[in-house]
Amino acid sequence: LDVANPEDWEAGRGYHTTGRVTSAVEFSRGNTETDQLNLDMETILESRRDRVTLRADYEETSSIIRSTEDGGVTKTESQATADNWQVIGKYDYFLTDPRNYIGMNLGFTADKFADVKRRSYFGPYYGRKLLSRDGLKLDAELGISYVDTDFLVSEDNDYTGMNINLTGETTFFDGTLKLYFRQINIVNLSSMEKSIYRTTFGLRFPLLLGLEAAAEATADYDGGAAEGKEKLDETLKFRIGYR
């Protein structure tokens, strides 16, 4: 007996689809005048045969600068202080033992203030569901990726790297709280110090009518950052969204 009272997708018909979109909007006026917008979405389609994952996020922050010119005229202008986005797509095909799968990674990202006009990567990988219990899941993936970066000012570069991913989640209080973890590593095989690492920890909990709140901490390390730019970006976000 594999599943009692299975849903259609568990019986091999169709996909189980989940998705969420969250946002954080801030308008500050007073001693500090800033406008901030952050959007985040995730969609997963899973069947007994394969799985499709799509993630995206967007961040824009600007500061309001007021200056008084000769004659007492006040001039107001908006100066951007953050402008970045990323889109990640994954396709997994489950093998005879559904704990094992092969897949393909595809990602795009841009960060104006890190001098990254566009960075893309793609490549195949082999994955395994190390843990697949209802309240505890952990997937590990190992593959190769081709990374191509177009900088706004610095010289463009590309390389082949080793892709190592970890994705996990666990639930507490009968599934009410969900703690999740994502680790993306792209190891530059020709220059280890120029590798890319992205670590994400988050906690989600439900509100009402499908709404949920989330707190998320992210650390992005870009060993191949443009000259004069910080290699490590750390972000703490609090969001409200719908699942």
Side-chain angles (χ1 to χ4, degrees), residues 81 120 136 156 160 164 186 188 202 214:
T81 55
S120 60
L136 182 60
D156 299 342
T160 299
I164 305 171
I186 302 179
N188 189 328

Side-chain angles (χ1 to χ4, degrees), residues 4 13-14 28 50 52-53 58-59 74 96 105 117 122 132 152 166 179 182 186 193-194 197 212 226 230 236:
R13 298 186 298 272
S28 299
D50 56 5
V52 179
T53 303
Y58 172 77
E59 180 182 9
T74 301
T96 304
N105 264 320
K117 180 180 180 181
F122 66 92
S132 55
L152 292 168
L166 292 172
L179 179 67
R182 292 196 298 268
I186 302 179
E193 66 273 13
K194 294 184 178 180
Y197 307 99
E212 69 173 16
E230 293 288 340
L236 182 61

Side-chain angles (χ1 to χ4, degrees), residues 77-134:
E77 61 180 339
S78 177
Q79 179 177 341
T81 55
D83 186 357
N84 60 77
W85 58 265
Q86 75 164 357
V87 177
I88 296 175
K90 299 176 76 231
Y91 177 78
D92 303 321
Y93 183 83
F94 301 121
L95 303 177
T96 304
D97 181 347
R99 293 176 299 175
N100 303 319
Y101 56 92
I102 56 175
M104 178 67 71
N105 264 320
L106 179 63
F108 299 94
T109 184
D111 190 337
K112 178 180 178 181
F113 291 90
D115 195 37
V116 178
K117 180 180 180 181
R118 191 199 76 248
R119 171 177 287 136
S120 60
Y121 68 87
F122 66 92
Y125 57 85
Y126 167 82
R128 181 173 174 84
K129 294 182 177 182
L130 300 179
L131 298 171
S132 55
R133 305 169 187 169
D134 288 341

Side-chain angles (χ1 to χ4, degrees), residues 24-64:
V25 181
E26 177 183 311
F27 301 96
S28 299
R29 295 295 183 269
N31 293 320
T32 301
E33 300 189 17
T34 60
D35 297 335
Q36 180 174 344
L37 171 64
N38 175 253
L39 299 173
D40 176 271
M41 64 83 66
E42 178 184 66
T43 298
I44 300 175
L45 291 80
E46 184 170 359
S47 72
R48 297 292 296 270
R49 182 186 65 255
D50 56 5
R51 176 175 58 190
V52 179
T53 303
L54 179 64
R55 298 189 182 101
D57 65 68
Y58 172 77
E59 180 182 9
E60 181 178 356
T61 304
S62 59
S63 298
I64 308 301

